[in-house]
Amino acid sequence: MSSGWHSSAVNAFSSRPTSIILPSSQPSINIGSNDFYRQSRSQCCIRRHDIVGGSGVSSWALHSFINNNGSIDPMIDPLASPSRQQKLSQPSPSPSQPSQPSSSSSSSTAMKKKDLRTLQRFLEVECWKLPTIRSLDRTLLAVSDACKQINRIVQRAQTDDLYGAAIDPTTGQLAELNVQGECQQQLDVLCNTLMLRAFCGAANNAVCAVASEEEPLPRSCADVMGFNVGGIGSGSVINVDGGEGKYVAVFDPIDGSKNIDASLPVGTIFGIYRCPEGIDGDDAGWNIQSFLQRGTKLVAAGYCLYSATTVLVLTLGSGVHGFTLDPDRQTFLQTHPNMRIPDVGSLYSFNEANSRDYSEPVKEFLKTMKETGKMGGKKVSSRYIGALVADVHNILINGGIYGYPATRDNPNGKLRLLYESAPMAMIMEQAGGAGSTGYGRILDVLPPQPKKKRSSGGSASGDSSISDEEWNEEVGKGIHVRVPTFLGSVENVFELDQFHKYYGDDDKLL
Ligand code: F6P
Ligand code: MN
């Protein structure tokens, strides 16, 4: 009975290998060579002190991704890639399709492709339109290149010897715990380096300083790129931007990295702030107040999700746009223009194993939802992946609410305001949703400011009012501050906030 269908299906499948053309224009990569890693394992470890300790990142490439023939892998070193250099120096050729693959197979592959705008063209046009972000197009393109590289690295998690705890080559011991108290993985260090270089190495030097989940303190781009070494507010940092470096960037290079072992999704999150005008006491164009701003001051935010597809979601302050990585051409294409989250959704995404320790309003919210089987009038359903980017992306697409509430042990929850909650809240708001702490808008939360100010040029030698240790501790508190986080459809987040009004602590209302 089914033989007609079956035989035609078999025929269809048997003809597939000839009709599905594998990309022949794919750049070769060498991080798949296990032999290479085995041979040079001792050289392969990322030298954490090179990256974190302030002597630039150049040695990273040499110690990590020197090919068998001795050259640095162009897919891993964003600045060494000729195609990258070409992209940076030329506008994109057409509003939509990227250049065609050079192989003879291009015509049959191209026929299957949608006519989609490239990220590069999108950035050129958007940054040209908006004066507040005019000089950011190259930076964001460099960030998208870093995301492509992180994607390739993540995909090799099971096959390449690049995973496991980072080793400090000077001692042969495990590298230090990171600022979150977690053991740094080689992967964390590598992805951090890619993002540092993307923000600081872009041709126009729009970004002058960066703060990362993986770094205890913010760093000047001059320091990252190895031009000079200077502490925060030390006044000793040279301005390498020729007057253009007026932004600072914050990022979480590899969010949810525990998921990698189980081949589950992970992500990268970033935000960009403009340095406030007339900031005092620093000749590098930035100081700690450049970072410790409310999320309302973000000029751009985005995340990249490494999952069934790789998607870069971006807001430049006027809507949210999603770009899917075309695996054949390794080009981000605008697959989700003007993303809008449904006003109300049926998904909730919480780690309910912690619910015993949640605050009263959150407990009541979840209890009511489960008793009625409904949320926002819809039949409720639960999803939790355990990587913020993946969970939030799911909510953005399908509607509902993501939550990482305060718990008894962590009164501010787990997520970090600067490089997790605030960028996600900006994206949610720009897509028509909301981001709340339960007591107010996430974007209105001001990170804790250092209690004492350091005067101009202040350093250990220049200012006796506060020691370097005290200052660094204060700064670290502000950069890595946590905040209870609820993100999602406006009706669902509103409902959650109502439970805080009713059951919560009035003193906490923003
Ligand atoms: O960065 C923190 C993070 O890894 C998020 O990506 C994720 O949402 C969360 O922690 C998961 O935490 P837990 O395992 O406690 O649910
Ligand atoms: Mn994270």
Side-chain angles (χ1 to χ4, degrees):
M1 194 171 70
S2 63
S3 63
W5 175 85
H6 187 251
S7 57
S8 65
V10 168
N11 287 341
F13 285 125
S14 62
S15 66
R16 270 177 96 175
T18 50
S19 62
I20 296 183
I21 311 292
L22 288 173
S24 55
S25 59
Q26 199 75 288
S28 70
I29 50 163
N30 289 300
I31 62 173
S33 162
N34 274 331
D35 282 350
F36 166 62
Y37 281 111
R38 267 195 293 277
Q39 279 161 20
S40 55
R41 169 105 204 194
S42 59
Q43 294 180 324
C44 260
C45 297
I46 313 302
R47 290 173 49 172
R48 183 172 186 275
H49 63 278
D50 285 345
I51 297 160
V52 179
S55 59
V57 294
S58 51
S59 56
W60 150 77
L62 298 175
H63 285 268
S64 323
F65 287 111
I66 302 173
N67 291 341
N68 292 329
N69 64 11
S71 64
I72 296 170
D73 189 323
M75 277 311 292
I76 297 299
D77 184 346
L79 302 179
S81 157
S83 60
R84 164 96 187 97
Q85 296 299 350
Q86 197 187 359
K87 265 194 241 161
L88 289 178
S89 59
Q90 290 171 8
S92 58
S94 84
S96 58
Q97 283 296 309
S99 54
Q100 295 294 317
S102 55
S103 80
S104 57
S105 64
S106 64
S107 58
S108 58
T109 306
M111 275 170 62
K112 297 175 193 298
K113 297 290 178 190
K114 296 181 187 167
D115 187 21
L116 298 168
R117 188 155 72 142
T118 64
L119 172 66
Q120 184 178 0
R121 171 61 65 147
F122 170 87
L123 290 175
E124 282 166 8
V125 173
E126 291 303 304
C127 293
W128 166 79
K129 269 182 5 199
L130 296 168
T132 47
I133 50 162
R134 189 150 288 161
S135 52
L136 281 177
D137 58 340
R138 290 174 177 201
T139 306
L140 290 165
L141 201 57
V143 169
S144 77
D145 280 350
C147 292
K148 286 183 208 171
Q149 288 153 356
I150 294 172
N151 179 54
R152 299 173 79 95
I153 290 163
V154 166
Q155 285 181 346
R156 283 158 182 79
Q158 308 296 337
T159 54
D160 287 20
D161 190 9
L162 179 59
Y163 303 86
I167 306 286
D168 182 336
T170 53
T171 62
Q173 305 294 309
L174 288 179
E176 299 162 33
L177 299 183
N178 71 8
V179 65
Q180 318 299 337
E182 297 154 352
C183 177
Q184 268 198 322
Q185 304 289 301
Q186 290 185 62
L187 184 81
D188 297 326
V189 178
L190 178 58
C191 295
N192 186 44
T193 306
L194 285 166
M195 291 297 285
L196 287 173
R197 287 177 67 114
F199 277 114
C200 289
N204 55 351
N205 297 311
V207 169
C208 57
V210 280
S212 161
E213 172 178 1
E214 295 295 330
E215 310 265 353
L217 298 170
R219 288 173 66 187
S220 154
C221 278
D223 172 27
V224 167
M225 300 308 288
F227 297 137
N228 199 354
V229 179
I232 309 151
S234 68
S236 63
V237 185
I238 53 163
N239 188 0
V240 293
D241 59 42
E244 259 198 276
K246 47 192 175 230
Y247 301 94
V248 296
V250 291
F251 57 86
D252 180 353
I254 186 93
D255 169 67
S257 56
K258 282 191 202 126
N259 272 7
I260 286 181
D261 286 346
S263 305
L264 292 173
V266 292
T268 297
I269 312 169
F270 60 89
I272 301 178
Y273 289 92
R274 210 181 157 82
C275 295
E277 295 290 327
I279 49 174
D280 58 325
D282 203 291
D283 60 3
W286 67 283
N287 66 12
I288 189 57
Q289 269 72 39
S290 309
F291 287 96
L292 301 183
Q293 304 191 63
R294 290 188 167 86
T296 46
K297 299 287 181 190
L298 281 163
V299 294
Y303 63 77
C304 189
L305 170 66
Y306 313 104
S307 186
T309 51
T310 298
V311 192
L312 182 67
V313 172
L314 185 65
T315 178
L316 304 175
S318 56
V320 177
H321 303 271
F323 303 83
T324 303
L325 185 64
D326 176 343
D328 297 333
R329 298 191 174 109
Q330 288 294 305
T331 304
F332 279 108
L333 299 174
Q334 192 176 11
T335 44
H336 299 71
N338 290 314
M339 296 174 83
R340 302 296 293 171
I341 182 170
D343 282 346
V344 57
S346 60
L347 295 182
Y348 78 101
S349 192
F350 287 63
N351 183 347
E352 281 203 273
N354 298 329
S355 60
R356 218 165 50 116
D357 294 329
Y358 286 164
S359 64
E360 221 37 46
V362 180
K363 275 186 184 164
E364 288 296 329
F365 172 75
L366 294 175
K367 193 170 130 207
T368 306
M369 192 176 64
K370 282 187 258 182
E371 277 173 8
T372 59
K374 293 199 164 172
M375 185 176 55
K378 289 192 159 197
K379 186 176 177 310
V380 74
S381 191
S382 164
R383 293 284 183 279
Y384 192 75
I385 299 163
L388 177 67
V389 173
D391 285 312
V392 167
H393 188 71
N394 191 18
I395 297 294
L396 177 62
I397 299 287
N398 294 307
I401 185 166
Y402 170 88
Y404 210 109
T407 60
R408 212 188 304 269
D409 291 341
N410 299 307
N412 288 319
K414 181 179 184 187
L415 301 181
R416 274 58 58 109
L417 174 64
L418 247 65
Y419 42 81
E420 292 183 319
S421 306
M424 289 306 199
M426 182 185 188
I427 289 167
M428 278 294 167
E429 287 199 6
Q430 286 291 323
S436 172
T437 64
Y439 291 102
R441 194 179 170 210
I442 290 172
L443 293 182
D444 282 337
V445 177
L446 184 67
Q449 309 288 306
K451 285 194 206 85
K452 289 187 192 169
K453 277 225 158 121
R454 189 164 258 222
S455 59
S456 175
S459 63
S461 53
D463 183 0
S464 56
S465 66
I466 182 166
S467 72
D468 275 356
E469 289 70 31
E470 285 174 299
W471 173 253
N472 289 347
E473 197 180 318
E474 296 272 306
V475 168
K477 271 187 207 157
I479 295 291
H480 300 288
V481 66
R482 297 170 198 263
V483 69
T485 297
F486 303 95
L487 299 157
S489 298
V490 74
E491 290 285 344
N492 301 83
V493 178
F494 173 76
E495 208 170 294
L496 186 276
D497 272 18
Q498 293 305 301
F499 276 83
H500 281 80
K501 264 200 176 149
Y502 193 81
Y503 294 100
D505 187 347
D506 285 350
D507 298 346
K508 291 188 180 164
L509 283 171
L510 275 180

